[in-house]
Amino acid sequence: MPPHNLTSLRPATFLLAGIPGMEKSHIWISIPFCSMYLAALLGNGVLLFVIRTERSLHQPMYLLLSMLAVADLVLSTTTVPKMLAVFWFSAGEISFGACLTQMFFLHFTFSAESVILLAMAFDRFVAICDPLRYMAVLTPSVIVKTGLFALLRSFCIIFPCVFLLKRLPFCGHNIIPHTYCEHMGIARLACADISINILYGLAVPFAAIVVDVVLIAVSYVLILLALSRLPSRTARHKAFNTCGSHVCVILLFYIPAFFTVLTHRFGQEIPHHVHILLANLYVLFPPLLNPMVYGVRTQQIKEKVMKVFICPKSRLLQE
């Protein structure tokens, strides 16, 4: 089909329907969603501010944590404001280009966050299995290269999805039964064969994430083996605590993601509105809970937050 005909078959706008079947509850659903989003902005903002202002936190572990906080902010901000506009004002209209942009940044951020979690697992592996070489291995240059690799890999994996969608003709309805644009949600509106989209959208990103999960699992198997060889129970407990926050964040990130993907692909008996709710919670829970996990479980961050935000207030009250 000639390019100009393909262009003419692209809709000027799509319409995000929100959560089909729960339109009357959109306002009530928006209240916890908005609260979680604001809490995620506050928590990740505080985390970034504390890491930025406290020189003692300019270490590989905390620099990687700041990358995770940025990824969480992008993940939620890419989707939640438009989601709330749909819930509050029924403002579901979104241009074709804006929809593709939202789709790209959603999947791009998910892939980048997976790489960051893998880098954090490697950080814990070096810290426990080879502590004497920790600063020599995880130099500032290595951390910068890790961030660039996360961006580059995610771009190379996700950018083809944009072209796979732009090649499709859209000659039917333009209503997306969702609160945000994602790859297969857009592809299913096309009036053409989307088997390539299905294959690429499932195989390539999924394979990349599975590789990350396998490497993280290998890292923690080696960490557990190293911990089992420590003579002191106190040393084992202290070393395990340094990994506890990261393990919690990994579970918060991957379990909802895999559950959402698997139910979306194979859970045809699950009601559609349940799929949409799960997808919405996925872009809210990790950004909301990650700062809490690290803030509660990591003593250094807890102390620095108190130093930055509580101690100055105490001094002002004393004066």
Side-chain angles (χ1 to χ4, degrees), residues 63-137:
L63 295 177
L64 290 170
L65 180 56
S66 66
M67 291 183 192
L68 184 69
V70 171
D72 281 337
L73 288 173
V74 174
L75 179 65
S76 56
T77 302
T78 296
T79 54
V80 177
K82 184 62 180 178
M83 182 194 305
L84 294 176
V86 173
F87 289 159
W88 290 341
F89 312 113
S90 299
E93 194 171 273
I94 184 170
S95 70
F96 183 80
C99 194
L100 291 186
T101 301
Q102 186 185 55
M103 179 277 301
F104 171 79
F105 279 104
L106 171 69
H107 298 308
F108 173 87
T109 308
F110 175 82
S111 176
E113 192 157 339
S114 183
V115 177
I116 294 168
L117 290 175
L118 174 58
M120 294 173 79
F122 180 71
D123 167 83
R124 293 299 86 204
F125 166 75
V126 177
I128 291 172
C129 298
D130 198 2
L132 297 178
R133 297 184 62 234
Y134 179 74
M135 296 308 297
V137 173

Side-chain angles (χ1 to χ4, degrees), residues 43-214:
N44 286 286
V46 168
L47 199 59
L48 287 169
F49 178 77
V50 170
I51 293 173
R52 172 69 179 85
T53 54
E54 287 295 322
R55 283 190 169 276
S56 61
L57 297 181
H58 294 180
Q59 302 173 25
M61 173 183 172
Y62 301 107
L63 295 177
L64 290 170
L65 180 56
S66 66
M67 291 183 192
L68 184 69
V70 171
D72 281 337
L73 288 173
V74 174
L75 179 65
S76 56
T77 302
T78 296
T79 54
V80 177
K82 184 62 180 178
M83 182 194 305
L84 294 176
V86 173
F87 289 159
W88 290 341
F89 312 113
S90 299
E93 194 171 273
I94 184 170
S95 70
F96 183 80
C99 194
L100 291 186
T101 301
Q102 186 185 55
M103 179 277 301
F104 171 79
F105 279 104
L106 171 69
H107 298 308
F108 173 87
T109 308
F110 175 82
S111 176
E113 192 157 339
S114 183
V115 177
I116 294 168
L117 290 175
L118 174 58
M120 294 173 79
F122 180 71
D123 167 83
R124 293 299 86 204
F125 166 75
V126 177
I128 291 172
C129 298
D130 198 2
L132 297 178
R133 297 184 62 234
Y134 179 74
M135 296 308 297
V137 173
L138 291 165
T139 62
S141 173
V142 169
I143 300 300
V144 171
K145 289 176 182 177
T146 299
L148 292 176
F149 173 76
L151 297 176
L152 181 61
R153 193 198 76 163
S154 302
F155 181 85
C156 292
I157 290 174
I158 305 303
F159 197 62
C161 293
V162 176
F163 288 100
L164 288 174
L165 290 172
K166 292 185 76 171
R167 71 180 181 87
L168 294 173
F170 296 86
C171 50
H173 69 85
N174 66 339
I175 299 174
I176 300 176
H178 211 307
T179 54
Y180 54 78
C181 299
E182 50 92 22
H183 179 225
M184 289 311 302
I186 303 172
R188 288 195 178 95
L189 298 182
C191 48
D193 180 23
I194 62 169
S195 56
I196 296 177
N197 294 73
I198 294 173
L199 182 62
Y200 187 90
L202 181 61
V204 178
F206 192 75
I209 300 303
V210 168
V211 169
D212 293 343
V213 172
V214 170

Side-chain angles (χ1 to χ4, degrees), residues 3 11 20 25 35 46 88-89 94 102 154 231 234 264-265 296 309:
S25 303
S35 301
V46 168
W88 290 341
F89 312 113
I94 184 170
Q102 186 185 55
S154 302
T234 303
H264 190 66
R265 300 291 178 179
V296 170
F309 292 100

Side-chain angles (χ1 to χ4, degrees), residues 309-319:
F309 292 100
I310 298 177
C311 293
K313 291 182 180 178
S314 301
R315 285 196 294 268
L316 285 174
L317 289 174
Q318 289 174 2
E319 292 173 3

Side-chain angles (χ1 to χ4, degrees), residues 247-269:
V247 171
C248 291
V249 168
I250 288 172
L251 295 177
L252 285 171
F253 181 77
Y254 285 114
I255 289 178
F258 281 118
F259 185 75
T260 300
V261 170
L262 292 174
T263 55
H264 190 66
R265 300 291 178 179
F266 307 111
Q268 286 79 11
E269 297 181 1

